[in-house]
């Protein structure tokens, strides 16, 4: 605050900010307004006037900052410090689904049948857009979408317009960092009011509340976002620095609520499979009467120490699950059956439908999965079918309800040639899916192949997103990944919504990607069945790209985790001349990958050893430690068992350390890890 601002004005502005935030919380979070709208508008206008007269009074957490700022050129990327993971969906929508989850949890925790029931926190599964809010010293500093779980989009300006979200936490001594996760949504009433106003003004309406929420958050003009009535519920946390947390998830949510964050009241704590099923049934019966859309409920093991003990599998927590409600279904007619070509070349039959409203959206297309499913369900053009849509799952044709006239032209036949590139369509023995053989030359596959190639875990070309790839492929500027390395500033800057600075940023990212590792390069090629882990094993085993390319199926199956199916896929990929040609084009374009001598049987202390990392290391990241251990032949596991050889315990080591001590597994600190890596550890 500067001396140019009169003390009375500063005091009045502070009072107005606090008063407006108090009324906003009562209205938007508690649903219990305390003053008439006209009085609220008067207070708001007064604060706007004071800040306009004295610009030094303007603060980032002022309520006036919610009306939107300058139009954005695009969304910047935000790396989540704690991954924003999705949770597994329980397939069985009945009480058996609750029982299956409880059984998995008890088994993973080692609970015997006679031991006490596990306590769970139960919450609603909102049908909106997942958002992360980062508060620094109590003030909202950043908001980001989930993205791919590791990296999202910076939507801070838009999220500031959501009045249910406090710009400053209601606490005297806020932590240095408090990151909360939640769902932006639009209530049924707000959705109807917004659409009524749009119709009255002759403007476009929203299709459903979920699209309204997601589309609003991703508006490049925050002022447009501010016009849409969004709300927010908090359901978890991310990074936390300087705050002692309760011992349970439900306690954490209660604490967040005390800070003024909006928390939904339809939650409870229960125990055992019976308690979970009862909650699922009760919410299902009231679902239609809720003021917002949900597509299921979420169960979480309540104790945080048990959550840590359960850990994660395939980037999904073992301690939580989404238990959805039975899918919503409607009747409609099949007008046509055509095929779509996916990133991997999969040819999928799709039914074009007479438009039908299912699960909150108007559905015009529904998947038929594969040719065998078309035959099994006996779907013909002009049949009346049952269409099912559950949450965000792609709508599908469930079954035929009434047969149509069924003339010869109504029968579906898989095309012999790809409808996009004209390449041969093949269906391998034992597979249900037919595929286009065009590979990187097929435009339908090309876009997704390029996105995969540029992905963070592949070549890591930041800024090469879906919109830019669409333009590059549609304009025939890029046909193969090698063409990326021939792009110039002029050609990029000429594209729609691509300013010269943005174009240069993309070129810089492409330039940085020229040097990579063999494992990343193998993964980037998009070979079917070859994920990150398999790519690492291939690189470690063979040491060079040429060795991988020339290996037959028998040699490939010598690699850890590579079976006959994966080996056949790798060999088939490198038998294709055009795939080898792309590799050579990339090499000619200056792309380099670090290679090493083929892996030999290790003879040192780490040969065949299993190591578990826990806690924070001071001298290196856990990812670096993992890479160094794996380079020396060790296997780095995510959980401790009797077969674990070492547990490396850094600062704030948790349940893995306790498990190691319980099992008698050797525990070493970071000094011991360095000795292990240097071969000087005294076993």
């Amino acid at each position: 605050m500067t001396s140019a601002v009169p003390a009375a004005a500063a005091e009045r502005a502070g009072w107005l900010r606090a008063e407006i935030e108090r009324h906003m919380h009562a209205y938007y979070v508690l649903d219990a307004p305390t003053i008439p709208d006209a009085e609220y508008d008067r207070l708001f206008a007064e604060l706007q006037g004071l800040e306009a007269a004295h610009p030094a009074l303007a603060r980032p957490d002022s309520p006036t900052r919610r009306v939107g700022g300058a139009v954005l050129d695009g969304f910047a990327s935000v790396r989540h410090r704690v991954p924003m993971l999705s949770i597994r969906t329980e397939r069985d929508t009945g009480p058996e689904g609750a029982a299956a989850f409880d059984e998995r949890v008890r088994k993973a925790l080692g609970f015997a049948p006679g031991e006490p029931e596990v306590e769970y926190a139960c919450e609603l599964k909102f049908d909106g857009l997942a958002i992360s809010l980062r508060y620094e010293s109590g003030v909202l500093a950043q908001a980001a979408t989930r993205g791919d779980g590791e990296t999202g989009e910076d939507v801070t300006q838009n999220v500031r317009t959501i009045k249910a979200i406090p710009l400053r936490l209601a606490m005297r001594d806020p932590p240095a960092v408090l990151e909360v996760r939640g769902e932006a949504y639009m209530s049924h009433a707000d959705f109807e009011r917004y659409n009524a106003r749009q119709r009255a003004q002759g403007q476009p309406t929203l299709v459903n509340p979920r699209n309204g929420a997601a589309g609003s958050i991703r508006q490049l003009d925050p002022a447009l976002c501010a016009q849409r009535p969004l709300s927010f519920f908090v359901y978890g946390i991310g990074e936390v620095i300087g705050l002692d947390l309760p011992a349970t998830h439900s306690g954490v949510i209660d604490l967040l609520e005390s800070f003024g964050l909006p928390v939904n009241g339809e939650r409870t704590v229960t125990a055992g499979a019976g308690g979970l099923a009862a909650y699922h049934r009760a919410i299902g019966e009231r679902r239609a009467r809720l003021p917002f859309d949900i597509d299921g409920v979420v169960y979480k093991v309540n104790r945080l120490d048990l959550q840590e003990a359960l850990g994660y599998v395939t980037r999904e927590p073992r301690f939580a699950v989404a238990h959805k409600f039975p899918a919503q279904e409607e009747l409609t007619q099949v007008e046509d059956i055509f095929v779509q070509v996916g990133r991997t070349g999969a040819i999928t039959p799709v039914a074009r439908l007479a438009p039908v409203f299912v699960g909150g959206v108007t559905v015009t297309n529904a998947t038929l999965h594969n040719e065998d499913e078309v035959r099994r369900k006996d779907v013909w053009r002009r049949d009346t079918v049952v269409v099912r849509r559950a949450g965000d799952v792609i709508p599908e044709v469930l079954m035929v309800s009434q047969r149509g006239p069924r003339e010869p032209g109504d029968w579906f036949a898989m095309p012999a040639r790809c409808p996009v590139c004209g390449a041969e369509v093949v269906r391998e023995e034992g597979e249900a899916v037919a595929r286009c053989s065009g590979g990187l030359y097929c435009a339908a596959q090309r876009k997704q192949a390029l996105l995969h190639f540029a992905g963070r875990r592949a070549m890591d070309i930041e800024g090469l997103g879906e919109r830019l790839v669409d333009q590059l492929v549609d304009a025939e500027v890029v046909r193969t990944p090698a063409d990326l390395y021939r792009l110039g500033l002029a050609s990029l800057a000429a594209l729609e919504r691509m300013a010269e600075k943005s174009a240069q940023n993309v070129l810089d990212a492409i330039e940085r990607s020229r040097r990579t590792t063999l494992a990343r390069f193998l993964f980037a090629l998009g070979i079917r069945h070859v994920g990150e882990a398999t790519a690492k094993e291939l690189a470690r085993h063979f040491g060079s790209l040429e060795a991988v390319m020339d290996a037959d199926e028998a040699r490939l199956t010598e690699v850890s985790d590579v079976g006959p199916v994966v080996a056949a896929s790798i060999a088939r990929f490198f038998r294709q001349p055009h795939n080898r040609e792309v590799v050579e084009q990339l090499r000619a374009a200056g792309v380099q990958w670090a290679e090493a001598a083929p892996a030999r049987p290790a003879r040192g202390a780490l040969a065949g050893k299993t190591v578990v990392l826990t806690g924070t290391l001071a001298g290196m990241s856990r990812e670096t430690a993992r890479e160094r251990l794996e380079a020396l032949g060790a296997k780095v596991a995510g959980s401790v068992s009797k077969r674990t050889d070492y547990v490396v315990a850094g600062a704030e080591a948790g349940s893995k350390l306790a498990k190691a001590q319980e099992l008698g597994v050797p525990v070493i600190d970071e000094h011991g890890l360095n000795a292990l890596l240097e071969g000087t550890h005294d076993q």
Side-chain angles (χ1 to χ4, degrees), residues 272-315:
L276 296 179
Y279 179 78
H280 183 267
R281 181 175 60 254
I283 296 298
E285 292 171 353
R286 296 170 45 220
R287 178 186 181 189
R289 299 192 299 275
L290 292 174
F292 41 77
D293 287 337
I294 63 171
D295 55 3
V297 297
V298 174
Y299 310 138
K300 299 175 182 176
V301 173
N302 200 28
R303 282 174 46 184
L304 300 186
D305 61 338
L306 293 185
Q307 288 190 7
E308 184 177 2
L310 287 163
Y312 300 81
V313 58
T314 319
R315 301 181 57 76

Side-chain angles (χ1 to χ4, degrees), residues 125-420:
K125 185 179 184 302
F126 307 106
D127 196 12
L129 181 69
I131 296 291
S132 176
L133 307 177
R134 183 179 177 85
Y135 288 88
E136 296 179 357
S137 299
V139 177
L140 179 63
Q142 190 175 68
T145 60
R146 183 197 303 276
D148 64 0
E150 296 283 349
T151 304
E153 294 177 313
D154 188 332
V155 290
T156 308
Q157 289 196 46
N158 287 349
V159 165
R160 285 181 182 277
T161 69
I162 302 177
K163 297 180 177 64
I165 295 177
L167 301 181
R168 177 183 290 273
L169 298 176
M171 54 191 308
R172 292 184 177 179
D173 188 21
V177 174
L178 175 60
E179 186 182 356
V180 299
R181 273 78 190 269
E183 197 90 352
Y185 71 97
M186 187 179 292
S187 71
H188 296 155
D190 285 337
F191 171 76
E192 294 298 337
R193 278 195 292 268
Y194 177 84
N195 274 353
R197 186 173 71 246
Q198 290 293 98
R199 283 191 290 269
Q201 297 174 356
Q203 299 295 319
T205 58
L206 299 174
V207 176
N208 58 60
R210 188 197 184 285
N211 286 3
S216 300
I217 293 297
R218 302 195 74 255
Q219 283 279 348
L220 291 176
D221 185 352
L224 294 179
C225 183
Q227 296 172 14
R228 298 195 178 173
L230 301 186
S231 297
F232 187 81
F233 281 134
V234 170
Y235 55 64
I237 57 174
E239 184 181 33
V240 178
I241 301 176
L243 178 67
D244 292 328
L245 296 174
T248 63
H249 173 77
S250 59
V252 169
I253 300 302
D254 289 339
L255 184 66
L256 297 179
E257 186 175 27
S258 73
F259 296 163
L261 289 160
V263 173
N264 182 257
E266 297 284 352
R267 56 192 174 93
T268 190
V269 174
T270 189
L276 296 179
Y279 179 78
H280 183 267
R281 181 175 60 254
I283 296 298
E285 292 171 353
R286 296 170 45 220
R287 178 186 181 189
R289 299 192 299 275
L290 292 174
F292 41 77
D293 287 337
I294 63 171
D295 55 3
V297 297
V298 174
Y299 310 138
K300 299 175 182 176
V301 173
N302 200 28
R303 282 174 46 184
L304 300 186
D305 61 338
L306 293 185
Q307 288 190 7
E308 184 177 2
L310 287 163
Y312 300 81
V313 58
T314 319
R315 301 181 57 76
E316 293 178 344
R318 286 191 176 96
F319 56 81
V321 75
H323 193 185
K324 293 195 175 183
F325 296 118
Q328 299 182 31
E329 302 167 359
E330 293 291 345
L331 290 175
T332 189
Q333 188 178 54
V334 177
E335 296 182 339
D336 193 11
I337 301 176
F338 62 100
V339 296
Q340 289 181 336
V341 186
R343 178 181 70 83
T344 63
I347 306 289
T348 303
V350 177
R352 179 173 290 120
L353 308 170
V356 60
F357 200 72
V358 186
V361 301
T362 299
V363 172
T364 56
N365 293 331
T367 181
L368 287 162
H369 299 293
N370 54 62
E371 188 174 14
D372 288 348
E373 280 293 281
V374 178
R375 303 289 174 255
R376 185 182 69 81
K377 295 174 181 175
D378 194 27
V379 181
W380 291 46
R381 295 173 180 86
R382 298 199 286 178
D383 283 351
T384 298
V385 295
V386 177
V387 179
R388 175 170 64 184
R389 178 182 180 270
D392 291 331
V393 177
I394 298 172
E396 67 170 337
V397 172
L398 186 62
M399 61 183 175
V400 173
S401 173
Q402 183 178 344
R403 293 185 176 186
R406 295 202 166 184
E407 298 176 357
D410 295 328
W411 173 254
F412 169 76
M414 181 64 68
R417 295 284 172 180
C418 172
V420 175

